[in-house]
Amino acid sequence: MLVYVAVVSLGMIIRASALHVARRTTQVKVEMLSSLAVRSGAFSTIVRIQAPRTLAAGVQSRQQSSTTKQIENWDKANQIFYGPERDKTNFPHPVQQEFSSKVRLGFIPEGFFQFFYPKTGVTGPYLFGTGLLAYLLSKEVWVVDHNFAEVLGFWAAFYILNRKLGSKLGKYIDERNAVAAEERFVKPITEAKKVYEDVITASEKTIWQEEGQKYIFQAKRENVDLQLESIYRQRLKTVYDEVKKRLDYQLELQSTKRRFEQEHMVRWIVDSVTKSITPQQEKESISKCIADLRGLAKA
């Protein structure tokens, strides 16, 4: 009997924990679009990312086509389910509740009471429950035998364990669910966003660098123009030097020729004059010179 009560108590604990977890199904708010994308497998590649990866600029064309196809399918799904043709009044978009609906007496939904209030008033649900219990007992649909004490023991143990351990166990399970949601959903999506933000930043930087190519081409073009101008000026100087050398040569040739002619003429005249002087004239000239010198000396 004690073993049976222990098993029943354990079942009550599990049931209480399940009920508490049902009341607080999700504690981490995740956007509906992200949850739907992860469940549908549209971003299964993102969820599987275990660590950030640096994507190279040259991504393979096959991966690009696969990503493009996924984006096209996603846009098509958005047009079908969220397009203007959808009747959002009669068929609104279902939104997953963050918490379960309220209950009374630990297990009866609040909607059950709200259903009876317009028809029977406030006491209607309780009278219905009491009448149903009386009907089951009076018609022996629910037979009260010697095992009925186990029912009382079960609910008593369920109530006590729920009061003592329900909140702690529910808090522990909520923490585990929050950690699991963080590791399985939030963290992979955050890491994937960071990876693709880095890729976008790198792509924007690459685009910015590519925009500078026109200035590089312009600088190279100007550099080539400067080189051509330098070669042109160098060739002009070479032509100038060569022409100047030839002109200097002609000038030197004419000067040499004129000097040679002049020297030859002077030499010819001197030789002619020297030859025309006779020894007697030379002797008279010397004597006259000596006489002139003596006259100068006396004076």
Side-chain angles (χ1 to χ4, degrees), residues 64-168:
Q64 291 180 350
S65 61
S66 178
T67 304
T68 305
K69 186 176 181 181
Q70 289 182 0
I71 294 174
E72 291 177 355
N73 293 335
W74 185 253
D75 293 338
K76 187 182 296 184
N78 285 335
Q79 292 177 1
I80 294 175
F81 292 102
Y82 304 103
E85 297 181 358
R86 176 170 180 171
D87 187 3
K88 298 181 179 180
T89 302
N90 298 322
F91 302 95
H93 177 65
V95 180
Q96 183 178 2
Q97 296 182 356
E98 183 179 357
F99 302 100
S100 59
S101 59
K102 297 181 179 180
V103 295
R104 294 188 184 182
L105 301 178
F107 66 98
I108 302 176
E110 179 67 23
F112 176 80
F113 294 90
Q114 298 296 333
F115 175 76
F116 278 96
Y117 282 165
K119 301 177 179 59
T120 61
V122 179
T123 59
Y126 302 99
L127 290 176
F128 175 77
T130 304
L132 179 62
L133 181 61
Y135 170 76
L136 295 176
L137 293 175
S138 63
K139 296 299 182 180
E140 294 186 353
V141 176
W142 185 4
V143 179
V144 179
D145 53 4
H146 61 280
N147 293 324
F148 185 75
E150 297 177 359
V151 177
L152 300 179
F154 172 79
W155 287 107
F158 176 80
Y159 177 77
I160 293 172
L161 292 175
N162 186 29
R163 295 286 295 179
K164 297 293 183 180
L165 302 176
S167 60
K168 296 180 180 179

Side-chain angles (χ1 to χ4, degrees), residues 15-69:
R15 186 173 182 182
S17 301
L19 182 61
H20 188 72
V21 172
R23 291 177 182 178
R24 302 176 65 185
T25 53
T26 52
Q27 205 169 19
V28 179
K29 293 183 178 180
V30 181
E31 297 182 0
M32 198 64 190
L33 181 60
S34 300
S35 301
L36 181 60
V38 172
R39 292 177 183 175
S40 62
F43 293 120
S44 60
T45 305
I46 298 177
V47 175
R48 294 194 188 100
I49 294 177
Q50 299 298 329
R53 296 176 299 175
T54 304
L55 299 181
V59 182
Q60 297 181 357
S61 60
R62 182 173 59 84
Q63 295 179 353
Q64 291 180 350
S65 61
S66 178
T67 304
T68 305
K69 186 176 181 181

Side-chain angles (χ1 to χ4, degrees), residues 123-271:
T123 59
Y126 302 99
L127 290 176
F128 175 77
T130 304
L132 179 62
L133 181 61
Y135 170 76
L136 295 176
L137 293 175
S138 63
K139 296 299 182 180
E140 294 186 353
V141 176
W142 185 4
V143 179
V144 179
D145 53 4
H146 61 280
N147 293 324
F148 185 75
E150 297 177 359
V151 177
L152 300 179
F154 172 79
W155 287 107
F158 176 80
Y159 177 77
I160 293 172
L161 292 175
N162 186 29
R163 295 286 295 179
K164 297 293 183 180
L165 302 176
S167 60
K168 296 180 180 179
L169 185 60
K171 184 178 180 180
Y172 171 75
I173 294 176
D174 289 340
E175 292 177 353
R176 293 295 300 272
N177 287 337
V179 172
E182 180 72 21
E183 293 179 354
R184 296 180 182 179
F185 297 97
V186 179
K187 186 177 179 180
I189 293 176
T190 303
E191 292 177 353
K193 287 181 179 180
K194 185 178 182 303
V195 170
Y196 288 109
E197 285 176 357
D198 294 339
V199 173
I200 292 172
T201 303
S203 300
E204 291 177 351
K205 184 177 180 180
T206 304
I207 293 173
W208 175 73
Q209 292 175 349
E210 291 298 328
E211 289 177 354
Q213 292 294 327
K214 58 182 180 181
Y215 301 106
I216 295 176
F217 293 150
Q218 184 177 358
K220 289 182 177 180
R221 190 178 295 108
E222 292 178 355
N223 189 14
V224 172
D225 292 339
L226 290 175
Q227 293 177 0
L228 294 175
E229 181 70 18
S230 176
I231 294 173
Y232 173 73
R233 290 178 180 273
Q234 184 178 359
R235 292 179 177 178
L236 284 179
K237 187 176 182 305
T238 302
V239 172
Y240 169 78
D241 292 339
E242 294 295 329
V243 172
K244 186 175 181 301
K245 287 179 181 180
R246 285 168 173 76
L247 292 176
D248 291 341
Y249 171 76
Q250 294 296 329
L251 179 61
E252 187 69 21
L253 180 64
Q254 295 295 329
S255 299
T256 304
K257 184 178 180 180
R258 188 180 301 108
R259 186 176 62 254
F260 178 79
E261 291 177 351
Q262 185 178 2
E263 290 177 357
H264 177 71
M265 181 64 67
V266 171
R267 192 180 301 110
W268 178 74
I269 294 172
V270 172
D271 292 340

